[in-house]
Amino acid sequence: MSEENNPESPETAAKSGADVPPDRLSVNPRSELFDGELLQRGVGIRFKGTERTNIEEYCISEGWVKVQAGKTLDRKGNPLTLKLKGPVEAWFEDLGDNPPIAKAD
């Protein structure tokens, strides 16, 4: 009976907790994926096995990141971004040395 009330497995519950970053996040305040409170915690991103600090937006489940293309701006004054595909991992930096890492299964 308790299984019917809680359909999530312990692994799924841990992944959806507050200690794992969301599947998609953007640093652009004009984006609908922007969340200032989460960004203040510090989000670390590993793309293709390398830690990156220049990520504008990411999606773990779809396996892509957006990075700024130099100093080029689009016609609305926003940075021009490139979408790069590959494995993406994210974690909160405020959790110390061994934080839970969100990555695609």
Side-chain angles (χ1 to χ4, degrees), residues 58-77:
Y58 71 84
C59 181
I60 296 170
S61 62
E62 295 176 13
W64 57 262
V65 297
K66 288 186 180 180
V67 296
Q68 189 170 347
K71 296 185 182 218
T72 308
L73 302 176
D74 67 6
R75 64 179 182 231
K76 295 181 181 178

Side-chain angles (χ1 to χ4, degrees), residues 7-39:
E8 291 185 335
S9 68
E11 294 173 356
T12 307
K15 279 190 163 189
S16 65
D19 290 340
V20 179
D23 181 53
R24 294 181 74 171
L25 190 63
S26 175
V27 298
N28 185 348
R30 291 180 250 177
S31 171
E32 61 189 31
L33 301 171
F34 178 78
D35 189 339
E37 291 179 18
L38 292 179
L39 292 172

Side-chain angles (χ1 to χ4, degrees), residues 82-100:
L82 300 172
K83 187 182 216 180
L84 306 175
K85 295 186 177 189
V88 180
E89 300 174 358
W91 65 91
F92 284 121
E93 294 177 334
D94 66 347
L95 295 178
D97 292 335
N98 294 319

